Amino acid sequence: MQNEDGDTMKVGVLAFQGAVREHIDMLSKLGVTAVPVKKREDLKDISGLILPGGESTTIGKLLRDSGLREEVIKMAKEGIPIWGTCAGMILLAKHIVNQDYIHLGLMDIWVRRNAYGSQIDSFIRKVTVPSISSFPLELIFIRAPYVEKVGEGVEVILELDGKIVAVRQDRLLATAFHPELTDDLSFHKYFLELTKN
Ligand code: GLN
C-alpha cells in the first residue's frame, strides 16, 4: 500500500507493551511498513498509529515519560488516524468514569475500565460488524473496557449486549476488543482506509 507520494505507507505501533508484534504482523500482511514506536523519531513519516492493548496506566506513564504524549496529540489534531485497541481505547478517551485522570484525551467517549468485572473478565464472541465486514468476526475481550456514553460526532460501530464496544470519531478509532489476536484482517483494512483522504 502506498502513501500519496507513491512511497510504501508506514504505520506505527506504539511498542511499550502488549500485543505489538501481532499488530505489526497484520499490517505487514496488508502491504504496509509497520514500525514499532518508542520515541519521537519513530513517528517520522507515519500515516497512522495503533495503540495496542496492555495496561493503560503503564502505557500512559511511558507516553508521558518519553515525551510521546504531546506528539501523539499533535498528530491526532493534524488528522493522522489513530486506532486504540482495549487499553488503547482508554488512552484515547476524554473521560474515564472510574478513574480520576486521563491520558491522551482525544475522543469524546466515556469509558469504564475493566468494565466486565472479574466474573467474565475475558471472553470471545462471534458477531457481524456491519460497517467492517459482511461475515461474523471473532471478538476477543481481555479485561476490557466499554463505552458508557458518546459525545457528538462519535459514530457507534458496534454495540454488544447493550454496551458500546467500537467507536469512531473522524479518524480516531477505538475497539474494546483485540482484532490483532484473531486471523481476520477486516479491522486493520478498515483502519488503513482512514489514512486515505
Ligand atoms: N484492563 C486494561 C486496562 O485497564 C486493558 C486490558 C487490555 O488492554 N487487554 O488498561
Side-chain angles (χ1 to χ4, degrees):
M1 208 168 151
Q2 298 187 326
N3 64 16
E4 47 202 30
D5 300 325
D7 301 323
T8 301
M9 188 194 284
K10 269 176 43 173
V11 170
V13 180
L14 190 68
F16 292 141
Q17 208 199 35
V20 177
R21 183 77 255 159
E22 289 83 351
H23 274 300
I24 288 182
D25 287 350
M26 289 199 132
L27 292 169
S28 307
K29 281 187 193 152
L30 292 169
V32 165
T33 303
V35 276
V37 171
K38 282 192 173 163
K39 48 188 190 317
R40 289 164 190 238
E41 302 81 88
D42 301 330
L43 293 172
K44 199 173 172 295
D45 299 328
I46 64 168
S47 304
L49 178 68
I50 295 180
L51 311 173
E55 196 54 45
S56 55
T57 313
T58 309
I59 304 175
K61 181 177 186 314
L62 294 169
L63 271 175
R64 278 186 285 277
D65 293 352
S66 62
L68 272 172
R69 181 176 171 273
E70 290 69 29
E71 296 297 317
V72 173
I73 292 172
K74 207 160 81 192
M75 279 176 53
K77 304 253 147 99
E78 285 165 5
I80 295 177
I82 302 179
W83 172 19
T85 53
C86 201
M89 171 186 257
I90 298 165
L91 295 173
L92 286 171
K94 278 192 188 168
H95 313 271
I96 304 173
V97 301
N98 52 347
Q99 182 172 292
D100 57 10
Y101 59 93
I102 59 166
H103 302 283
L104 296 165
L106 290 168
M107 287 184 90
D108 291 298
I109 53 177
W110 279 255
V111 164
R112 180 173 291 278
R113 281 187 73 191
N114 300 323
Y116 290 93
S118 56
Q119 294 299 317
I120 46 160
D121 63 9
S122 299
F123 59 99
I124 300 180
R125 290 283 291 274
K126 220 166 172 171
V127 289
T128 301
V129 189
S131 37
I132 308 293
S133 90
S134 54
F135 49 86
L137 299 174
E138 198 170 49
L139 308 181
I140 302 180
F141 293 81
I142 305 168
R143 288 173 49 76
Y146 58 63
V147 175
E148 291 194 343
K149 190 169 105 179
V150 300
E152 230 171 276
V154 179
E155 177 198 348
V156 173
I157 294 177
L158 181 67
E159 246 184 78
L160 191 66
D161 306 331
K163 315 288 189 217
I164 300 167
V165 292
V167 286
R168 172 183 164 186
Q169 184 170 20
D170 299 317
R171 296 190 190 207
L172 301 176
L173 175 67
T175 55
F177 45 87
H178 292 265
E180 78 284 5
L181 301 182
T182 72
D183 49 22
D184 187 274
L185 296 168
S186 303
F187 268 97
H188 289 76
K189 277 189 198 150
Y190 177 85
F191 177 62
L192 292 180
E193 283 298 313
L194 300 182
T195 62
K196 296 182 184 161
N197 284 318

